[in-house]
Amino acid sequence: MGKIILITGGARCGKSSFAEDYVKTHGQNIAYIATSQIYDDEMAYRVKLHQQRRPSSWQTFEAPFHAEKAIHEAFCHHDIILFDCLTLYLSNYLCSEQTQAYSMEQLSAGAKDMMSALIEAVQAQNTDKTCVFVTNEVGSGIVPENALARKYRDLAGLCNQQIAKASTEVYLVVSGIPVKIK
């Protein structure tokens, strides 16, 4: 069964850098699953920074939706995957046209199914395969004032719990310092 590693923390805390270092030291053939969609200059800048840090030997898979397919494909030729990031993947789902009329119950069920598909895609692999998921810890601040932000916060917390439960190791990164919590 493939191994799941979860790396979480706040915005700009060093999660991705730690995850990049982790996969470099724990894998040989590295795949990168990118979940972001570029809608503005700020996101384009963030994507560019991530791209510049990645070695050219890493194969990138763009997967804003149905990332379980990218996981299966990446594991055909790679022993470790860096999946960056779960919360962007969740926001793609939450803001998609298909979910706009969904109730919170429907959103939660859909998000749970998405995370289950990711977990199953990793666990279906041989024991020598690892997927490192990066996610944001968004529920540590004040309660957001708008409904969409509250839905996102709640769904992110539920998804993070689901992935953490399936993970062999979980790291919390604070101010650039990773702390192993599982």
Side-chain angles (χ1 to χ4, degrees):
M1 181 163 55
K3 183 165 75 168
I4 297 172
I5 308 297
L6 180 64
I7 299 172
T8 189
R12 309 297 283 177
C13 70
K15 302 178 300 291
S16 293
S17 294
F18 173 67
E20 291 161 5
D21 290 342
Y22 187 98
V23 299
K24 286 177 190 174
T25 59
H26 290 84
Q28 296 189 354
N29 297 314
I30 301 168
Y32 185 96
I33 296 180
T35 62
S36 67
Q37 297 182 90
I38 300 172
Y39 291 115
D40 58 29
D41 290 341
E42 184 267 337
M43 185 54 84
Y45 174 72
R46 286 177 179 258
V47 168
K48 182 180 175 184
L49 290 176
H50 281 253
Q51 290 171 336
Q52 289 173 340
R53 287 197 316 249
R54 288 197 299 266
S56 60
S57 61
W58 293 11
Q59 184 177 1
T60 300
F61 296 81
E62 301 286 338
F65 299 97
H66 305 291
E68 68 278 3
K69 294 175 184 176
I71 289 172
H72 284 296
E73 185 179 347
F75 273 141
C76 289
H77 302 288
H78 302 86
D79 62 330
I80 194 162
I81 296 171
L82 174 50
F83 187 109
D84 201 354
C85 86
L86 282 173
T87 40
L88 277 175
Y89 187 61
L90 175 64
S91 70
N92 295 339
Y93 164 73
L94 183 59
C95 295
S96 67
E97 195 173 308
Q98 75 181 37
T99 64
Q100 295 308 297
Y102 284 13
S103 67
M104 188 59 182
E105 185 176 322
Q106 291 170 310
L107 289 169
S108 294
K112 183 178 180 181
D113 289 346
M114 284 175 27
M115 295 305 113
S116 292
L118 297 178
I119 292 166
E120 290 167 11
V122 176
Q123 291 180 339
Q125 306 305 312
N126 295 329
T127 56
D128 62 338
K129 305 284 184 169
T130 301
C131 186
V132 176
F133 288 99
V134 175
T135 193
N136 287 285
E137 193 58 51
V138 298
S140 298
I142 62 171
V143 175
E145 73 174 69
N146 69 73
L148 178 60
R150 287 190 300 274
K151 287 177 187 177
Y152 177 69
R153 178 213 49 202
D154 291 352
L155 290 172
L158 294 170
C159 290
N160 288 347
Q161 288 181 56
Q162 189 176 351
I163 296 290
K165 185 176 180 180
S167 295
T168 304
E169 300 171 23
V170 178
Y171 295 88
L172 172 65
V173 180
V174 180
S175 301
I177 301 169
V179 178
K180 187 175 182 179
I181 59 175
K182 179 181 178 186

